[in-house]
């Protein structure tokens, strides 16, 4: 009997861990600087107010998986590794994305080359404001799919601005303004696919609407991926889409019908994470202000819902929310809330 009791006690922590909800989150953290290596410096020095506030907020919410967007990345991932070490995350993943990556083309058609506007997407250096994944679950690195080099013109029914880009532009212009990743992690020995991305802002262009069109196609990518319309088959099993679409389904600029279509796709669950103490409502907005995830300048664009965690339909959701940092900084105030969803179990 004593041996049996000891055996049961040894198994109990494993059983409880298997039943514990998995907290998956995304946060547009805006840990970005004016030059390469500066964010790494600020993390390592340990006294930067914005970095310390970000660490405090992440620790308070304690997500098991966290996608950071608007985070400066470097070639070898040193900045992310330094942050992961301070936060205690054993696994992390990032790659240099497309922001700030030179093209050699005059993409904004102003007659000048080499400007941030002429990069694959706006950026003062390659990797500025990129994507970074922190995880307590093992990352299946060898099975990661990175679609960030896919050309925009190769997306089925790409919404390219007619007559704006020439053939040489389109030979190198990528769909992803930052990145599109399918990152599998192991939860209870089962692969859970994380669809991670951050789309360009649908403004800062002209009548051709090049940014609005690209923004919409960056979000539409995921439906096409699941449809099997891309050169690779969709993944098997459960998945969670997370990131910053820069697109509100009800308010603000952009092709809102694309976000509406994604949120109503039966393969996803929109559990509508909300906050109790978010930004004040904009009187002319149609969306529920409790769902807003970004607090921008008034009156335009105002507060919008642009950050999402969308579990696949078979996953059981226990809870969800939007957590706003309770800090006031002199510079680099956090304009986004951290969006989190607790997954109760994996089938």
């Amino acid at each position: 009997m004593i041996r049996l009791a000891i055996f049961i006690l040894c198994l109990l922590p494993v059983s409880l861990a298997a039943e514990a909800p998995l907290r998956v989150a995304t946060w547009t953290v805006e840990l970005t600087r004016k030059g390469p290596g500066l964010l790494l410096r600020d993390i390592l020095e340990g006294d930067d107010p914005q970095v310390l506030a970000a660490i405090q907020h992440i620790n308070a919410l304690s997500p098991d998986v966290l996608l950071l967007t608007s985070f400066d990345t470097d070639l070898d991932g040193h900045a992310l590794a330094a942050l992961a070490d301070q936060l205690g995350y054993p696994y992390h993943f990032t790659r240099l994305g497309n922001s700030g990556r030179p093209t050699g083309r005059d993409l904004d058609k102003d007659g000048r080359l080499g400007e941030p506007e002429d990069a694959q997407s706006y950026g003062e250096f390659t990797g500025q404001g990129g994507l970074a994944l922190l995880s307590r679950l093992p990352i299946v690195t060898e099975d990661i799919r990175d679609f960030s080099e896919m050309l925009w013109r190769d997306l089925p029914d790409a919404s390219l601005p007619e007559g704006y880009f020439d053939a040489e532009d389109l030979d190198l212009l990528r769909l992803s303004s930052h990145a599109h990743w399918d990152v599998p992690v192991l939860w209870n020995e089962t692969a859970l696919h994380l669809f991670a991305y951050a789309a360009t802002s649908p403004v800062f262009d002209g009548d051709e609407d090049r940014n609005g069109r690209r923004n919409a196609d960056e979000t539409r990518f995921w439906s096409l991926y699941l449809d099997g319309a891309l050169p690779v088959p969709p993944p098997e099993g459960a998945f969670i889409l997370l990131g910053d679409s820069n697109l509100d389904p009800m308010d603000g600029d952009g092709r809102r019908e694309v976000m509406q279509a994604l949120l109503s796709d039966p393969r996803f669950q929109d559990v509508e994470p909300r906050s109790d103490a978010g930004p004040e409502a904009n009187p002319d907005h149609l969306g529920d202000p409790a769902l807003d995830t970004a607090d921008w300048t008034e009156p335009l664009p105002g507060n919008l819902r642009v950050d999402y965690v969308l579990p696949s339909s078979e996953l059981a959701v226990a809870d969800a929310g939007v957590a706003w940092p309770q800090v006031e900084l002199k510079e680099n105030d956090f304009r986004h809330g951290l969006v989190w969803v607790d997954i109760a179990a994996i089938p």
Side-chain angles (χ1 to χ4, degrees):
M1 287 294 294
I2 294 176
R3 289 181 178 178
L4 178 61
I6 293 173
F7 177 73
I8 292 173
L9 288 172
C10 289
L11 287 182
L12 186 58
V14 176
S15 175
L16 289 175
E19 296 174 0
L22 180 76
R23 176 160 292 182
V24 180
T26 189
W27 187 19
T28 300
V29 67
E30 296 186 288
L31 284 176
T32 185
R33 301 294 185 261
K34 293 294 185 181
L38 298 182
L39 178 60
L40 174 61
R41 176 204 64 190
D42 290 347
I43 294 172
L44 292 176
E45 288 183 350
D47 58 1
D48 181 85
Q50 189 197 20
V51 173
L52 292 174
I55 290 173
Q56 179 183 8
H57 192 53
I58 293 169
N59 280 332
L61 274 296
S62 191
D64 299 295
V65 176
L66 172 62
L67 177 70
L68 296 174
T69 64
S70 193
F71 180 93
D72 286 351
T73 58
D74 52 83
L75 182 61
D76 295 312
H78 292 304
L80 177 60
L83 185 67
D85 183 63
Q86 294 195 23
L87 287 165
Y89 282 92
Y91 307 102
H92 50 86
F93 172 77
T94 190
R95 286 177 180 165
L96 282 177
N98 291 330
S99 57
R101 187 178 293 274
T103 65
R105 306 292 300 169
D106 180 18
L107 293 182
D108 67 344
K109 309 304 177 186
D110 68 352
R112 298 187 296 270
L113 293 175
E115 298 176 307
E117 295 85 355
D118 297 322
Q120 286 286 352
S121 71
Y122 185 92
E124 297 175 85
F125 58 90
T126 303
Q128 185 179 36
L131 275 62
L133 183 68
L134 297 163
S135 179
R136 295 193 179 112
L137 303 181
I139 297 172
V140 190
T141 307
E142 64 272 18
D143 291 339
I144 291 173
R145 290 175 172 178
D146 186 350
F147 300 97
S148 306
E149 295 185 4
M150 178 181 180
L151 296 181
W152 186 4
R153 71 178 184 193
D154 291 340
L155 187 77
D157 299 318
S159 182
L160 296 167
E162 186 175 355
Y164 185 83
F165 295 117
D166 62 27
E168 292 182 72
D169 294 336
L170 297 178
D171 282 343
L172 54 82
L173 182 58
R174 300 174 179 180
L175 169 68
S176 301
S177 55
H178 295 282
H180 281 77
W181 300 332
D182 175 351
V183 181
V185 295
L186 287 179
W187 185 29
N188 299 335
E189 301 183 355
T190 302
L192 175 64
H193 289 261
L194 306 175
F195 297 167
Y197 82 123
T200 191
S201 174
V203 293
F204 308 117
D205 53 17
D207 293 339
E208 83 288 342
D209 193 29
R210 67 186 187 277
N211 291 334
R213 290 169 177 270
R214 187 182 189 185
N215 169 277
D217 275 356
E218 288 186 84
T219 289
R220 197 167 60 85
F221 169 91
W222 295 113
S223 296
L224 294 169
Y225 182 39
L226 293 175
D227 289 343
L230 302 182
V232 295
E236 297 181 358
F239 53 84
I240 301 175
L241 186 151
L242 64 166
D244 180 0
S245 74
N246 254 315
L247 191 59
D248 187 297
M250 302 296 290
D251 301 297
D253 290 302
R255 302 189 170 205
R256 296 188 293 272
E257 69 277 6
V258 171
M259 199 70 235
Q260 294 169 9
L262 184 71
L263 295 177
S264 62
D265 187 324
R267 294 172 292 192
F268 293 100
Q269 298 180 67
D270 180 16
V271 297
E272 297 189 334
R274 59 185 59 236
S275 62
D276 295 328
E280 294 183 5
N282 296 106
D284 59 337
H285 281 195
L286 301 176
D288 183 346
L291 302 179
D292 288 340
T293 67
D295 184 3
W296 281 316
T297 304
E298 313 297 347
L300 295 174
N303 311 320
L304 297 173
R305 183 189 184 194
V306 295
D307 306 277
Y308 298 88
V309 177
L310 302 176
S312 57
S313 57
E314 70 269 36
L315 291 172
V317 174
D319 202 358
V322 179
W324 292 88
Q326 301 301 307
V327 294
E328 291 292 337
L329 303 173
K330 293 181 179 179
E331 297 179 354
N332 299 319
D333 283 340
F334 298 111
R335 299 180 297 174
H336 291 247
L338 185 152
V339 182
W340 58 272
V341 173
D342 287 349
I343 308 299
I346 193 166

